Amino acid sequence: MAESTIITGQFVRISQTPASIGERLMALIIDYFLIGLYILSTATLLSELSLPSGFSLFFFLCIVYLPILGYSFLCEMFYHGQSFGKKLINIRVVKVDGSTPSIGSYLLRWILFPIDGPITSGLGLLVVLLNKNNQRLGDLAAGTMVIKEKNYRKIHVSLDEFDYLTQNYNPVYPQSADLSLEQVNVITRTLESSEKDRARRVMALAKKVQELLSITPRDGNQEKFLQTILRDYQYYALEEI
């Protein structure tokens, strides 16, 4: 099964696995079953109350029809990408990059569901079969996908690590994009080291990085230089996702 890869702030690659067609159908069947129970119980309540005809219609529209009409949109918006069926099957709607969808993304998926839903249209099933992330038209339009729940929390936390880089961050050393993942790991381990000769190692490594990338530091603080190199690398790594 296809997987999408995200690079975390610690430069660890984690994969989010798209939910299978079977899992999505099972979640939908559970949702329809719950909706059926809701209709049955509210219809029974309505008949027992013996309300005036005009009020009965208003009651039906407000208490039955509108909640059912907006069921998937409301659930996904308030339960972070999950309906009750998705919760039971352990799948969730996320953005393709693993982040939480906006209200507009949930709304767009909901609007397009009558057109490409797997139960109401063969088109939806065909589109899901033809793309690697098992996305329907609503997902493609909203930039979302449905993934297995097991990786979501880790992905979400990892993306939060990048928040400080996405808000008007300007990289200082563009050459940092040329570093390899192994070289970045060496810098990270050196900065995180608590050994006695840490200061000497930081200074020696900073000089090697400067020679390798042909960089002249903006000040003499070698540790700050390496930290800036890491932040710049993270910035360019995020740009490529």
Side-chain angles (χ1 to χ4, degrees):
M1 183 175 291
E3 294 185 341
S4 341
T5 301
I6 292 174
I7 304 174
T8 72
Q10 285 75 37
F11 314 105
V12 176
R13 294 178 181 272
I14 52 177
S15 296
Q16 53 182 5
T17 306
S20 67
I21 296 175
E23 289 170 323
R24 296 183 67 165
L25 284 175
M26 281 300 299
L28 191 62
I29 290 171
I30 292 173
D31 286 333
Y32 281 170
F33 175 74
L34 293 175
I35 288 173
L37 286 179
Y38 178 75
I39 293 174
L40 180 62
S41 60
T42 51
T44 302
L45 175 63
L46 192 61
S47 63
E48 291 292 331
L49 292 177
S50 301
L51 299 172
S53 57
F55 188 80
S56 295
L57 179 60
F58 175 79
F59 182 89
F60 178 82
L61 287 174
C62 294
I63 306 300
V64 181
Y65 181 73
L66 291 179
I68 291 174
L69 181 65
Y71 170 80
S72 61
F73 169 66
L74 294 173
C75 282
E76 290 175 2
M77 182 174 66
F78 289 110
Y79 293 103
H80 307 292
Q82 289 183 305
S83 62
F84 293 108
K86 288 184 176 69
K87 179 70 174 178
L88 291 174
I89 302 298
N90 291 319
I91 60 178
R92 180 187 298 272
V93 179
V94 299
K95 296 291 284 185
V96 174
D97 64 3
S99 59
T100 302
S102 64
I103 294 177
S105 297
Y106 290 134
L107 182 62
L108 191 53
R109 295 184 79 256
W110 174 72
I111 289 174
L112 290 176
F113 185 79
I115 300 174
D116 72 342
I119 302 299
T120 58
S121 170
L123 176 63
L125 184 59
L126 179 63
V127 171
V128 170
L129 289 171
L130 292 179
N131 70 83
K132 66 176 183 178
N133 288 330
N134 295 342
Q135 295 164 286
R136 61 179 180 85
L137 285 177
D139 287 316
L140 293 172
T144 59
M145 61 186 290
V146 181
I147 67 168
K148 295 179 184 295
E149 170 70 4
K150 60 181 181 181
N151 285 334
Y152 174 76
R153 188 177 301 277
K154 187 175 182 181
I155 291 170
H156 185 68
V157 171
S158 299
L159 287 175
D160 286 344
E161 297 165 5
F162 282 124
D163 282 350
Y164 72 100
L165 292 177
T166 58
Q167 299 175 357
N168 302 318
Y169 181 78
N170 294 313
V172 179
Y173 303 111
Q175 300 95 322
S176 62
D178 296 329
L179 289 171
S180 68
L181 187 59
E182 290 75 16
Q183 291 168 334
V184 169
N185 284 335
V186 171
I187 297 173
T188 303
R189 289 198 300 271
T190 301
L191 290 175
E192 293 177 350
S193 172
S194 58
E195 297 179 9
K196 293 181 179 179
D197 64 341
R198 177 182 180 278
R200 180 189 61 79
R201 293 177 59 191
V202 167
M203 183 173 295
L205 181 58
K207 290 182 178 179
K208 287 185 179 180
V209 172
Q210 291 163 22
E211 293 173 0
L212 176 67
L213 300 179
S214 300
I215 292 176
T216 301
R218 298 191 176 185
D219 58 48
N221 189 324
Q222 303 294 359
E223 182 166 345
K224 182 179 178 181
F225 166 74
L226 291 179
Q227 291 171 345
T228 302
I229 286 290
L230 285 182
R231 286 196 296 270
D232 289 351
Y233 178 87
Q234 289 176 327
Y235 174 84
Y236 289 114
L238 181 62
E239 287 292 303
E240 294 176 359
I241 296 176

